[in-house]
Amino acid sequence: MQRAHNFFAGPAILPVPVLEETRDAVMDFAGLGVSIMEISHRDKVYEKVVTEAQADALALMGLSADEYSVIFLGGGATTQFALVPLNFLQKKADYVNTGEWASKAIKEAKTLGEITEVASSKESKFTFIPKNIKYSGDADYVHITTNNTIYGTQWKTDPDVGSVPLVADMSSDILGIKRDFKKYSLMYAGAQKNIGPAGVVMVVIKKAWMEAKGKQNIPSIFKYKTHVDAGSLANTPPALPLFVLGRTLKWLIGKGGIEAIHTQNEKKAKLLYDVIDAYPNFYKGTVTVKEDRSWMNVTFVLPTPELEEKFIAEAKPKKMLGLKGHRSVGGMRASIYNACPVESVEFLAKYMEEFYKVNKG
Ligand SMILES: *Cc1c(COP(=O)(O)O)cnc(C)c1O
């Protein structure tokens, strides 16, 4: 089988060894004569899948199990937009609006309390990450979106929000860039961008915050504590996606962890941004502040809609898929997550060079 150069934004590329392990486990899991989909989540063998994924996630992030818990839930990152305020919004919270996902998180939170949009780049079509933000100081938490999948911006440094708990939607860059994870009280990520398939969300939560501030008077299935206390097995987890997520974490550890992938992702992104910067009258990066350019989702437009269509049409027979930008931004978007090989990015960069030469007019 020839693998395509996969630039889909999500669900997105997975490492080949992980796909192979999954294929095998779908037929026969751990030599038991049953599929990974046919075994009780209460069986010790499956429980190990969960506990190892928890331990591997913490190890990759450099966090201790004494301080942080990892749980795996269904419902997508979108469900977390509601669960975070449901669990922690007592009175008011600060949100930074850096894109569509952030806007959706704000909308959900507003149904449960008072939300202050402490900064927003909406006026300029989310083309940068706001700086020098003045936080309220007495909010229940501050919420940010570390990588804006649609607009192609990324927080390269973790904000200082004082003693207020920091919460982040890390769906599209978790474990793809070095972060000071200890700064965060809660991090969540839909797996289907950078750490697995759709159907499972990873939530990393600071236990002390959860114990001290987690709201009690909410349905127990929506309470983070319920899932933490049950070792993420309060009810049947998304068993197969969670298995794939676990394998993806092991693959990442094998590659040298965040340290190694950080370097590789920076290099991959540079390959594409260098072409964009070399031909600024042809390829126009949609992000105006260079330091805010995402290493995960590289967004750019071409001079005309016709050229954009041609760019995509001619990429297809070369086995490059998923390059069309999100409908709200238009243009192109190359998503180059952890599992996207350097070779695919080099191939795309070369294609961009050639396409420029033929079509510059
Ligand atoms: C894709 C994405 C979401 C939505 O995830 P679902 O799993 O579809 O709910 C939320 N936030 C960010 C940053 C995303 O990239």
Side-chain angles (χ1 to χ4, degrees):
M1 174 193 148
Q2 198 205 333
R3 291 275 289 168
H5 299 289
N6 185 345
F7 302 106
F8 280 113
I13 188 164
L14 288 163
V16 173
V18 171
L19 295 175
E20 286 168 345
E21 281 180 284
T22 304
R23 175 197 59 201
D24 294 346
V26 162
M27 286 315 295
D28 182 7
F29 176 50
L32 293 170
V34 296
S35 167
I36 180 77
M37 298 184 287
E38 299 176 311
I39 187 170
S40 168
H41 60 291
R42 305 280 175 209
D43 191 283
K44 284 273 170 284
V45 183
Y46 189 81
E47 211 180 286
K48 200 163 152 251
V49 170
V50 182
T51 52
E52 283 187 15
Q54 291 168 322
D56 289 343
L58 289 175
L60 280 162
M61 299 170 93
L63 298 174
S64 101
D66 293 336
E67 261 192 281
Y68 286 87
S69 293
V70 181
I71 51 176
F72 303 101
L73 306 172
T78 306
T79 299
Q80 301 307 313
F81 295 166
L83 290 192
V84 166
L86 193 63
N87 278 268
F88 292 109
L89 183 53
Q90 309 283 352
K91 205 158 171 254
K92 54 180 198 158
D94 287 356
Y95 277 68
V96 182
N97 191 358
T98 49
E100 257 182 60
W101 297 117
S103 301
K104 285 189 175 155
I106 290 168
K107 192 166 166 231
E108 290 294 84
K110 276 186 174 164
T111 66
L112 293 162
E114 190 189 321
I115 300 304
T116 311
E117 218 175 282
V118 283
S120 171
S121 46
K122 190 174 181 177
E123 291 293 299
S124 65
K125 295 206 172 104
F126 300 119
T127 48
F128 65 93
I129 300 288
K131 309 284 173 343
N132 305 314
I133 299 171
K134 235 177 123 30
Y135 299 97
S136 306
D138 59 349
D140 293 321
Y141 60 87
V142 174
H143 182 283
I144 68 165
T145 311
T146 52
N147 184 76
N148 298 281
T149 326
I150 295 173
Y151 293 92
T153 58
Q154 184 176 29
W155 294 70
K156 295 289 168 43
T157 52
D158 308 290
D160 290 310
V161 296
S163 59
V164 175
L166 180 59
V167 175
D169 175 359
M170 296 192 177
S171 291
S172 51
D173 74 353
I174 191 155
L175 308 182
I177 185 167
K178 281 191 271 184
R179 289 202 179 281
D180 189 356
F181 295 108
K182 289 189 188 73
K183 270 192 171 176
Y184 296 83
S185 292
L186 192 150
M187 298 158 266
Y188 61 91
Q192 73 271 22
K193 310 287 167 47
N194 216 23
I195 51 170
V200 61
V201 180
M202 183 164 91
V203 181
V204 183
I205 185 166
K206 200 173 205 168
K207 283 191 233 183
W209 188 46
M210 181 189 77
E211 295 293 350
K213 299 287 182 179
K215 285 198 276 186
Q216 292 304 315
N217 56 339
I218 58 173
S220 60
I221 195 66
F222 297 145
K223 221 181 270 181
Y224 289 119
K225 187 170 159 49
T226 301
H227 298 279
V228 168
D229 289 350
S232 201
L233 289 167
N235 65 331
T236 319
L240 177 63
L242 173 42
F243 170 83
V244 186
L245 184 155
R247 294 294 127 178
T248 309
L249 297 183
K250 289 200 184 295
W251 168 83
L252 185 53
I253 290 169
K255 282 203 52 120
I258 296 196
E259 195 73 39
I261 208 80
H262 175 105
T263 307
Q264 179 174 303
N265 286 340
E266 182 171 25
K267 181 180 152 197
K268 275 157 48 185
K270 189 174 183 304
L271 286 169
L272 299 185
Y273 289 123
D274 278 353
V275 179
I276 290 170
D277 290 339
Y279 312 111
N281 296 323
F282 193 79
Y283 294 116
K284 208 162 153 319
T286 61
V287 178
T288 49
V289 179
K290 283 190 183 175
E291 70 192 52
D292 296 340
R293 286 168 159 182
S294 170
W295 293 354
M296 300 275 103
N297 313 96
V298 177
T299 51
F300 56 96
V301 295
L302 275 72
T304 66
E306 291 72 31
L307 279 171
E308 289 181 343
E309 258 174 54
K310 194 171 176 217
F311 185 91
I312 290 185
E314 292 180 4
K316 209 166 175 191
K318 294 181 193 296
K319 285 244 169 208
M320 286 181 281
L321 302 182
L323 287 168
K324 198 170 162 52
H326 188 271
R327 59 190 183 279
S328 55
V329 181
M332 306 296 135
R333 171 174 53 176
S335 298
I336 51 174
Y337 300 117
N338 287 359
C340 180
V342 177
E343 294 73 36
S344 283
V345 182
E346 284 169 346
F347 192 81
L348 172 60
K350 198 157 155 266
Y351 172 67
M352 288 172 71
E353 290 263 2
E354 282 161 11
F355 191 86
Y356 164 75
K357 281 178 189 142
V358 174
N359 295 285
K360 64 181 185 225

